Amino acid sequence: MKGVNGLFPVLTYQDSVGETEEIKNEILSTISKQVKENPYRVPIEWESKKLHTSYGRNNSLLQKVFKKYYKKYVSDFLDSSFISYVEIWFNHYASADYYQECHNHSIVKTKFDYSGVHFLSYNPEYHSPLRFYDPLRLVNSANEFTLDLPVNEGDILLFPSYLEHSVPQSINEYKTPRITVSFNIRLW
């Protein structure tokens, strides 16, 4: 039969976290303290050197936040009874020249299945969105498509960990930091 078919679409999930203000009350003071102690904390293997991340740290407070708040949003997209491991961290971008290079979360030492981002402090007027890259570009260089998903403060995005993404430098200066809480999920 003649026609165009979409095979293997990439499924993502987006929702607004109603408890964003409660989460801010629980973790923003810890984030502010860590950023004040060291404004530029980045793993050596990351290209970007102008942000503060808690990636690779003991994030027990954020683990509690995942269980208390984020798990129910994940359950709307995945069967959370299959979650075997969660890695969670925050990223703090203080000014427009902060960015995060193109990367994914499935080709790391611990392979993950799904990733998520909660936009804890975010203003679409001046903060950069999360940019996604067409996964077909890895097999055909003609597929250089990108998509900046529109999000607002409080939104959560869930997506397959193999999906490449980045945070471009902002074209607008800002005084309020862009703060996200990100996590990786491994399923059984």
Side-chain angles (χ1 to χ4, degrees):
M1 183 150 109
K2 185 176 183 175
V4 175
N5 295 301
L7 294 176
F8 312 115
V10 177
L11 300 178
T12 64
Y13 175 85
Q14 183 172 353
D15 198 357
S16 179
V17 175
E19 304 87 355
T20 295
E21 290 304 315
E22 291 93 322
I23 295 169
K24 284 182 179 183
N25 289 336
E26 288 186 34
I27 67 174
L28 276 182
S29 63
T30 300
I31 291 172
S32 295
K33 180 181 175 205
Q34 289 182 19
V35 170
K36 191 173 184 176
E37 289 171 2
N38 183 0
Y40 304 118
R41 183 190 180 281
V42 184
I44 192 125
E45 64 271 16
W46 290 16
E47 178 184 312
S48 175
K49 301 299 179 209
K50 293 193 81 179
L51 70 109
H52 182 103
T53 182
S54 67
Y55 182 81
R57 273 193 172 165
N58 175 354
N59 287 303
S60 58
L61 175 61
L62 293 177
Q63 287 286 347
K64 290 176 187 169
V65 166
F66 181 88
K67 289 176 186 165
K68 186 175 178 182
Y69 300 107
Y70 299 144
K71 190 171 182 179
K72 74 177 183 181
Y73 293 94
V74 170
S75 295
D76 288 342
F77 184 54
L78 305 167
D79 184 344
S80 63
S81 67
F82 289 108
I83 295 174
S84 66
Y85 180 75
V86 174
E87 175 181 64
I88 189 166
W89 67 97
F90 72 81
N91 289 323
H92 182 282
Y93 302 82
S95 66
D97 61 342
Y98 286 42
Y99 71 97
Q100 178 70 54
E101 68 273 5
C102 180
H103 64 286
N104 67 48
H105 296 240
S106 67
I107 308 176
V108 292
K109 59 186 171 206
T110 307
K111 185 178 182 317
F112 292 100
D113 299 296
Y114 288 92
S115 298
V117 179
H118 178 209
F119 294 83
L120 196 63
S121 173
Y122 182 85
N123 185 325
E125 290 181 25
Y126 46 84
H127 290 135
S128 293
L130 195 59
R131 175 170 292 160
F132 289 96
Y133 297 80
D134 184 341
L136 293 177
R137 77 189 193 110
L138 300 175
V139 292
N140 181 349
S141 61
N143 290 321
E144 288 295 325
F145 301 111
T146 62
L147 175 65
D148 295 348
L149 280 180
V151 295
N152 293 300
E153 183 169 290
D155 282 1
I156 190 168
L157 291 176
L158 302 172
F159 53 92
S161 295
Y162 68 80
L163 199 56
E164 290 186 310
H165 54 284
S166 68
V167 179
Q169 287 183 316
S170 178
I171 57 172
N172 301 309
E173 277 300 321
Y174 54 87
K175 296 193 188 302
T176 305
R178 178 189 189 277
I179 302 172
T180 57
V181 176
S182 300
F183 52 89
N184 290 324
I185 297 170
R186 187 181 327 127
L187 303 174
W188 290 107

